[in-house]
Amino acid sequence: MKAAVYLGGPKNIKIQEVPDPVLLDGEILVKVGAGNICGVDSRTYNHGDKKIEPPRILGHEFAGTVVEVANGDTDIKEGDRITSYVVLPCGTCVYCKRGRANLCDTRTTISYHYDGAFAQYMVLPKGTVDNRHVFRIPEHVSFEEAALSEPLATVLNAQGKLNIGIKDTVVVLGAGPIGILHSLVSKIEGATHVCLMDVSPGRLKLAEQFDLDRYVQVKEDGSHIEQAKALNDGLVPDVVIVANTAATSQGDALEMAGKGARVEFFGGLPKSNPYATLNTNLIHYREIIVSGSFSSRIEDFRNALKVVSSGLLPVKQLITHRFPLDAMLKAFEVIPAGEAIKVSIQPN
Ligand SMILES: [Zn+2]
Ligand SMILES: [Zn+2]
């Protein structure tokens, strides 16, 4: 079969023929319908990732059709249209027992430890099947839409801590797919005012189709902080979500947050320099609650697929580009240029 194989280091993904997967007991073979590109995939393409042992097929936001089920203890059958949760938790550690599989110390994941979706076929590991982490997709939901359940699940994991509701003014820093999802979910939850900020005017322009309340460009002179403070009749933001990987945004978030606000550091900083300069007195005097979020729990994934299927979110609009597997490397050029929101690879 054809696959996009990460061979280690920067700019080293090659489209090549690889042997067809052979199933072991308990595994499921899936013909990939869509594998959407995540920010993590772009980062791995551009900079490499030492945590991934090459050769490895990336792609953890996916959906497809079951081709074969190998003696699995599952009700999933050949022909089912499915998507799956990508984390394989150990199931026995203290975090797993508390339902926090995303925080499991020895978790493995599809596309890091198992081959992912940027191929014609992929194998769902026995652990995923045994844990009932494979979900059928309703008939009216396309593969590319169903594949959005993964990033949406990570957003729901964070939103669960923020308790957004009526009267809340929300600022989201970062107008990528995650920032847009955070903005849209905040609206569904009842936020009266959602303001999306980004350094790129192009990304803000693309996001205008989602009819948020305000779009503000992040500038070095800090004028975006003043603009945030002027929102909500001067009551300043109740919630600020950092959906990018810039340390300065974390500092900005605290500066613009109102008294008693909730601030979420959603995006991790680069591992080479994970330090930010923060005025922690703001946390103290303004009684700001700061949270962080990583990955998603199984219930977030289940809820995300429900939301995607419900039509509550304009999921179709989020996918701006589609490429066949052969042209996948072109996709990595479109993303940094700020021309795309979500790019979907459709290998078959
Ligand atoms: Zn992702
Ligand atoms: Zn565990």
Side-chain angles (χ1 to χ4, degrees), residues 30-76:
V30 176
K31 183 179 181 192
V32 178
N36 294 352
I37 296 184
C38 173
V40 173
D41 301 318
S42 308
R43 196 181 64 206
T44 303
Y45 174 71
N46 286 305
H47 306 288
D49 187 335
K50 291 201 177 75
K51 288 205 306 294
I52 303 176
E53 217 174 287
R56 176 68 65 218
I57 301 168
L58 308 179
H60 60 269
E61 302 179 2
F62 60 85
T65 309
V66 172
V67 182
E68 193 186 336
V69 180
N71 300 320
D73 173 23
T74 174
D75 62 348
I76 299 289

Side-chain angles (χ1 to χ4, degrees), residues 68-125:
E68 193 186 336
V69 180
N71 300 320
D73 173 23
T74 174
D75 62 348
I76 299 289
K77 293 181 193 64
E78 195 187 311
D80 282 349
R81 300 167 73 249
I82 57 91
T83 181
S84 94
Y85 182 58
V86 294
V87 178
L88 285 96
C90 78
T92 55
C93 76
V94 60
Y95 302 110
C96 282
K97 282 183 178 151
R98 289 178 188 166
R100 306 287 290 272
N102 57 320
L103 302 180
C104 172
D105 284 329
T106 54
R107 58 175 250 168
T108 52
T109 25
I110 293 171
S111 99
Y112 269 85
H113 307 89
Y114 303 89
D115 282 336
F118 298 143
Q120 289 183 288
Y121 295 88
M122 69 184 290
V123 174
L124 297 181

